[in-house]
Amino acid sequence: MRVLAKAPSGGEDLGIRARMIKLIAQAEDPPQLRRILARVSQLLDKLGFRGSHELADYTGKLARKIVAFALVAHVQVPTRVADAIVKHALRKLQLKTNINEQTLDAKDEDLKFVGGLKNQYKSLILKKLIVEG
């Protein structure tokens, strides 16, 4: 909303423009991604990182990569992967939080999946190239 308010037209038709952007974003995102992004956003708010745009950007990009991988691999992504994404991001960026680790319902296999995505993605692409090529 703040970005829209800073536009040359200012606050004029702000609600309509925000609604249009939301509709476009919802039409483009698969339901799995919307579910994961909503959970990530909820967790970041709960942990007190609402204003951290860098953390939100990092977790959003990571969530998009994971869901894209899952869609290509025909794997269902449980919502708890969002917890693993946030936990992975907090560890990677070395951010401290007052809330205990039990708030994040991340299992070890989910953390390994999130952390090792690059290798899994590369092997999946190679398999597809071999099969299709």
Side-chain angles (χ1 to χ4, degrees):
M1 288 291 249
R2 283 185 261 166
V3 172
L4 292 175
K6 291 180 183 178
S9 60
E12 183 180 324
D13 297 332
L14 184 62
I16 295 171
R17 288 184 285 148
R19 178 78 175 143
M20 289 172 60
I21 290 172
K22 186 176 180 180
L23 286 173
I24 291 169
Q26 285 180 347
E28 297 296 320
D29 290 341
Q32 286 183 352
L33 178 60
R34 278 185 276 161
R35 190 182 73 242
I36 297 295
L37 288 175
R39 177 68 178 156
V40 166
S41 179
Q42 178 187 29
L43 287 170
L44 291 179
D45 284 348
K46 192 180 216 181
L47 295 172
F49 291 107
R50 184 178 182 91
S52 178
H53 301 292
E54 295 83 12
L55 181 60
D57 182 53
Y58 179 79
T59 54
K61 286 180 180 178
L62 186 57
R64 283 178 172 80
K65 288 178 186 176
I66 288 170
V67 172
F69 171 79
L71 290 173
V72 169
H74 301 289
V75 176
Q76 186 66 10
V77 179
T79 307
R80 71 173 187 266
V81 169
D83 295 55
I85 291 170
V86 171
K87 194 170 191 176
H88 173 78
L90 292 174
R91 286 181 181 174
K92 183 168 178 103
L93 301 175
Q94 298 175 351
L95 297 172
K96 303 291 182 208
T97 181
N98 294 338
I99 298 182
N100 60 12
E101 295 279 325
Q102 294 174 351
T103 302
L104 299 173
D105 184 31
K107 295 185 176 180
D108 287 335
E109 61 262 15
D110 295 333
L111 282 169
K112 288 178 186 176
F113 177 73
V114 170
L117 183 66
K118 286 184 179 179
N119 294 332
Q120 293 173 4
Y121 187 68
K122 286 178 185 175
S123 66
L124 179 68
I125 291 174
L126 287 174
K127 285 179 186 176
K128 285 213 176 255
L129 287 174
I130 292 169
V131 171
E132 293 173 2

